[in-house]
Amino acid sequence: MHSADISESIYAIHTRQLLDAIDQIRDIGGQLKLDLPRIVVIGNQSAGKSSLIEAIARINVPRGGGTCTRCPTEIRLRSSSDPWKCSVSLRYEYDSEGNLTGDSLIIPFGEDVLDPSHVEVMLRRAQIAVLNNERNPRMYLDIDPSQLQLPEDQRQFSKNIVCIEVSGPLLTDLTFVDLPGIIQHHPTDSNLVELIKSMTREYISDPSALILCTITMKDDPENQAALGEAKIADPEGTRTIGVLTKPDTLQSQEEEQWLSVLKNEGRHRLKLGYYITKQPAQVEVEQRVAFDTARQNEQEFFKNVKPWCNLPGRVSENVGTPRLTAMLSQLLSGLIRKSLPDIDTKIRQFMQEVDEGIQALASVVSAHPVADIILLCERFRSELDHYTSGSPGYEKLVQENYTVLRSFQKDIRNTAPQFIPYTAREHKRNISYVEPLDIVEDWANKEDGDTYHLETLFTLCSAKTRELPFNVPYAVKVQMMLLPIKRWKDLANACFTSIHPQIGSLIEGILHSIFGGYDQTLLLERVKGIVFRQLNVLVTDTKGALELLFDMEDQGTLTLNDFYYSSTRSKLIAHYHEVRRKGTSSSSSSHCASSTAPACQTSSLSEVLIQLQVLGYPVSEDDLKRLTEKDRWEEEIVVMAETRAYFQVAYKRFVDNIHLAIDRVFVRPLAAAMLRALVSDLQFDSPDAHERCKSYLAESPQKAAQRQRLNADRVRLEKASEALKAIGFGN
């Protein structure tokens, strides 16, 4: 059925509406953010692409020597019962360097063309206008056709687009973009070869683009760069349509190869298959043969010339320009229908992003600049307070500090003195000795404390003056107890040094999130200077508090935690005695065996134990030995126990106090202290506060440009949404 016969059917009307909606979205710049379905026509130079375009669009396009298509040409065809007309416009999306501008500027080029014979000249003029990239392209509207040849120093190609809209009878509703033909070399500018290829790749790499690849039958498929580029962009061949041209140029022995291609066989198979068309020969082009005559000649050719007249039924459906055109229209409209949900979703998504971007920018003019900056300061305080308080969703800072403080606790615990209740010689026989975890309660992940044997303690304890027997000098005990504490100052400073830089980084991030929009007006730098000066004050205060806590531990021994100290001391004394008794029992047994003392005789010992039990004292042999034997290292064992017990008291106290000092002096007051400093130093109550705050909130040129871009995007997206609503799609 001829396309004109169905031009007013419901299906055709809906197809026209779909194409109009997508074209409208593309005109407003939707292609810059959305992947809009379209047909892209590519082909090698002299592959018959121009003739194919003329046959589909029923207009004459620029022809001549060399590459004649100098920029992308978007052609929109609409079937209509109204008289034929054509309008030309220029769409600018790229700057002079070929970079996307992020905008879409459409400039109508002249009045509607009502005579098809005038289209070619208008297209040549439009191309000259685009290539010159002038602000006023209309100056080329009346240029003499004889002056339309491009000079050698003229820019040869542009990425900006000439748009043609043709409506009238005998047209099929269709939109496609025609790209410059791919060339293998250029006589004066070799860079143009890669420029055209890169332009082609940019268009056909879009996954929503259908690739209409024009393939001349005058050359082997392997030698045609356009087909190679299509395979790179669409390796599975799911969105490429092959169009074979110039079948009338084949020799008899060459036909079999192309029959295989047309049947979609061999290594060049495409999911959408191949079509074959026959366009006017060069002599017919020069004679300006009528479009209807050209189609009649094409039909006669495929009807009468072998092997094309004998094609199987399925393959014969892919013969001729009308069938190719109808298929392209159906294929494009179907792709648009399938893409509409995704396009609508993306439009709404981009609108939300744009709205968030606009909202993130401060208001252009503030009516109450002092109040607005105070609110910004309060937002900063509130955000920081969430982190320092560990509010839900803001636990990271408190958790990181807790990890550092737990590590600090281990470091302090690792400084505990290691007391070995043996002489050095005895230790060699009892090398597996470890601290009693049931008494000291926790363990060290590494032993950094000094190690002491009994002989070392004996040397320290022997420094007596007027002390009575069994009394170790008090100064010696204090010295022993303070030795590990000397190391705590550096560990406390290292702990705090691991905490406050993290908070500094956190503050930096919050400042940029709240005041970052004013980085050009000095407000951000002003606020940052105040905040970090106050941070340094708090750091200094906290270091002072930590030093005071260290001095309190370092100046002497003191505790009111009598029960814990005494309990730990007693347990350690008993533990050290027990360890020594078990570790030295073998040598004591051999000594007892050679002695004649009554206490070492088994029979006498047994009698004593029996008598004690009769008297109501259930005493064991080990108990009796402890009562009767006096360890010569008693004084040293007591010093060991007292020193180790005091370490437990002091280290637990110090770790908690450091934690409290960092939390109470530095972390918790942070947000309130920052707000007080900001309010004080920004001098909101000064006579010039209003003007000063107004200048702080002034919008920078960069932000103004960003706002303008976002607002332009918002307008484009709203128009795109309206275009979808017009066809009954979208919300």
Side-chain angles (χ1 to χ4, degrees), residues 362-363 366-381 511 514-515 518 521-524 526-528 530-531 674-675 677-685 688-698:
S363 58
S366 173
H368 307 285
V370 175
D372 287 345
I373 293 183
I374 290 175
L375 287 175
L376 290 174
C377 293
E378 172 56 28
R379 278 181 56 201
F380 169 72
R381 182 211 63 79
L511 284 173
I514 295 175
F515 295 95
Y518 305 99
T521 65
L522 301 181
L523 178 60
L524 175 61
R526 181 84 171 90
V527 169
K528 188 184 294 187
I530 295 171
V531 165
M674 294 299 178
L675 181 61
L678 286 170
V679 171
S680 174
D681 290 8
L682 287 173
Q683 301 176 348
F684 293 123
D685 57 350
D688 65 337
H690 182 88
E691 290 303 317
R692 190 158 31 82
C693 291
K694 184 177 179 181
S695 67
Y696 283 149
L697 296 178

Side-chain angles (χ1 to χ4, degrees), residues 204-253:
I204 65 177
S205 63
D206 182 352
S208 62
L210 291 171
I211 306 170
L212 185 63
C213 185
T214 307
I215 305 167
T216 175
M217 299 168 77
K218 291 181 66 176
D219 196 3
D220 191 277
E222 306 294 338
N223 298 330
Q224 303 198 42
L227 186 58
E229 294 293 340
K231 285 186 175 181
I232 294 172
D234 179 28
E236 301 299 322
T238 57
R239 53 187 182 88
T240 302
I241 307 116
V243 182
L244 307 182
T245 64
K246 303 185 180 182
D248 51 324
T249 63
L250 288 178
Q251 301 298 320
S252 59
Q253 66 273 18

Side-chain angles (χ1 to χ4, degrees), residues 24-187:
Q24 183 181 351
I25 294 173
R26 185 174 286 112
D27 280 345
I28 62 179
Q31 186 65 33
L32 305 176
K33 280 185 171 290
L34 304 168
D35 293 330
L36 303 177
R38 63 180 167 189
I39 296 173
V40 180
V41 185
I42 66 171
N44 284 28
Q45 178 184 333
S46 303
K49 185 165 62 68
S50 296
S51 296
L52 179 65
I53 298 298
E54 289 183 339
I56 295 174
R58 298 176 66 85
I59 58 173
N60 292 318
V61 299
R63 289 175 174 271
T67 303
C68 298
T69 305
R70 305 290 182 175
C71 59
T73 304
E74 186 175 277
I75 302 175
R76 301 174 183 178
L77 307 177
R78 298 294 183 268
S79 176
S80 173
S81 57
D82 294 332
W84 185 96
K85 70 175 180 178
C86 172
S87 62
V88 180
S89 60
L90 312 178
R91 188 167 75 232
Y92 292 92
E93 296 177 351
Y94 296 84
D95 60 21
S96 58
E97 302 299 323
N99 301 312
L100 279 169
T101 62
D103 201 355
S104 180
L105 174 64
I106 298 179
I107 299 177
F109 193 72
E111 303 295 332
D112 288 345
V113 179
L114 304 179
D115 185 346
S117 64
H118 295 166
V119 172
E120 181 181 357
V121 172
M122 284 296 291
L123 293 183
R124 287 184 179 273
R125 289 170 173 163
Q127 283 195 119
I128 293 289
V130 167
L131 292 172
N132 280 276
N133 201 31
E134 297 285 349
R135 293 186 177 182
N136 182 21
R138 295 182 182 87
M139 63 184 293
Y140 296 97
L141 276 172
D142 300 320
I143 191 171
D144 191 300
S146 63
Q147 300 178 7
L148 291 176
Q149 189 67 28
L150 287 175
E152 289 297 326
D153 58 351
Q154 169 68 54
R155 189 155 53 103
Q156 299 292 307
F157 293 93
S158 172
K159 288 185 176 182
N160 288 314
I161 304 165
V162 173
C163 301
I164 310 167
E165 184 164 343
V166 185
S167 64
L170 305 179
L171 292 174
T172 299
D173 294 307
L174 187 62
T175 297
F176 57 90
V177 59
D178 177 31
L179 298 182
I182 297 175
I183 57 177
Q184 302 300 324
H185 60 84
H186 191 275

Side-chain angles (χ1 to χ4, degrees), residues 354-374:
V354 167
D355 288 342
E356 290 173 354
I358 294 173
Q359 187 177 2
L361 296 172
S363 58
V364 180
V365 179
S366 173
H368 307 285
V370 175
D372 287 345
I373 293 183
I374 290 175

Side-chain angles (χ1 to χ4, degrees), residues 315-344:
V315 180
S316 65
E317 295 176 359
N318 291 8
V319 172
T321 302
R323 285 182 174 169
L324 169 65
T325 306
M327 183 277 300
L328 291 176
S329 178
Q330 295 172 13
L331 200 60
L332 180 59
S333 61
L335 184 60
I336 292 172
R337 288 187 186 92
K338 185 177 178 181
S339 302
L340 286 178
D342 184 57
I343 293 172
D344 180 57

